[in-house]
């Protein structure tokens, strides 16, 4: 809804000159100034969406990082698993720590369990197929490490889904995008989405290289407690 917190936000930028797609996660504990109906507030960036709606959230990002956001798409916790299942699941490399966290905290992760982690001879985690509910639980993990790591997990899932669309062929890709549109709220019209999809297929966006990062960078940020609430700052 328009009063929901932007719990997980990713800026996606398509660079047609370099052939790269950049996914940048905005950590929800970023401390910012934002405005609602001309009145200013200070707090976590994710509350800008709940207090002022998507336009307030976008305006805050644009002011803070000096960039221009063209449009948006919103997916909630109810729709996300349906998107994953509509694509036949998603293959994710799991670790023992991630499996233990979800399987031993059922109330925290919606009463789902993750399959056993698999490793190769060198001890590297191997991909395991997850359902929509399992993928959602995986994306929400942060108690074992940090919100920064949680953001990385979310981008891992999106990158895997992108790879699945890429390998499905042009006709199937169009069907998938059309099916997924019912689970998202976006500022694009249906006509605009079709136009962008056709452009992406025509110009080979599915073959673009994906690069990921998080802001603020944990190496360069200062955190703190304000009125017993934890914040990250640049």
């Amino acid at each position: 809804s328009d009063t929901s917190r932007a719990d997980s936000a990713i800026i996606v930028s398509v660079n047609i000159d370099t052939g790269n797609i950049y996914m940048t996660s905005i950590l929800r504990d970023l401390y910012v100034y934002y405005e609602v109906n001309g009145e200013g507030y200070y707090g976590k960036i994710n509350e800008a969406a709940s207090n002022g709606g998507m336009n307030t959230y976008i305006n805050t990002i644009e002011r803070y990082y000096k960039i221009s956001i063209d449009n948006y798409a919103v997916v909630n916790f109810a729709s996300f698993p349906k998107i994953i299942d509509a694509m036949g699941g998603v293959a994710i490399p799991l670790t023992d720590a991630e499996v233990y966290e979800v399987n031993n905290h059922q109330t925290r992760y919606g009463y789902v369990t993750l399959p056993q982690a698999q490793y190769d001879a060198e001890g590297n985690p191997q991909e395991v197929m997850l359902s929509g509910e399992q993928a959602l639980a995986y994306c929400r993990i942060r108690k074992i490490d940090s919100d920064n790591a949680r953001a990385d997990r979310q981008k891992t899932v999106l990158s895997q889904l992108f790879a699945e669309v890429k390998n499905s062929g042009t006709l199937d890709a169009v069907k998938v995008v059309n099916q997924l549109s019912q689970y998202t709220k976006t500022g694009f019209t249906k006509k605009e989405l079709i136009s962008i999809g056709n452009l992406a297929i025509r110009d080979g966006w599915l073959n673009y290289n994906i690069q990921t990062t998080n802001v603020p960078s944990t190496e360069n940020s200062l955190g703190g407690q304000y009125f017993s609430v934890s914040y990250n700052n640049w």
Side-chain angles (χ1 to χ4, degrees), residues 73-170:
V74 179
V75 180
N76 63 21
F77 278 177
S79 297
F80 185 76
K82 296 177 182 177
I83 292 175
I84 303 293
D85 290 335
M87 298 183 65
V90 61
I92 299 296
L94 296 177
T95 66
D96 288 333
E98 291 166 341
V99 173
Y100 183 87
E101 166 66 14
V102 173
N103 292 356
N104 287 274
H105 298 89
Q106 288 290 285
T107 56
R108 184 182 298 165
Y109 296 102
Y111 298 95
V112 301
T113 57
L114 296 181
Q116 182 178 351
Q118 304 293 325
Y119 295 87
D120 62 17
E122 286 73 38
N124 300 310
Q126 298 298 287
E127 293 181 350
V128 179
M129 187 61 69
L130 301 183
S131 67
E133 293 291 346
Q134 291 171 328
L136 175 60
Y138 170 81
C139 285
R140 297 179 66 187
I141 296 173
R142 70 183 178 96
K143 296 293 185 180
I144 61 174
D145 32 49
S146 64
D147 196 39
N148 199 69
R150 185 181 78 136
D152 288 339
R153 292 187 182 96
Q154 293 162 2
K155 290 193 293 293
T156 294
V157 170
L158 290 179
S159 295
Q160 290 294 87
L161 290 176
F162 189 83
E164 289 187 17
V165 173
K166 174 182 175 180
N167 296 327
S168 64
T170 300

Side-chain angles (χ1 to χ4, degrees), residues 174 177-178 188-200:
V174 172
V177 172
N178 195 44
F188 290 113
T189 65
K190 189 69 174 291
K191 183 178 180 180
E192 288 173 329
L193 286 175
I194 294 174
S195 177
I196 293 172
N198 288 333
L199 177 66

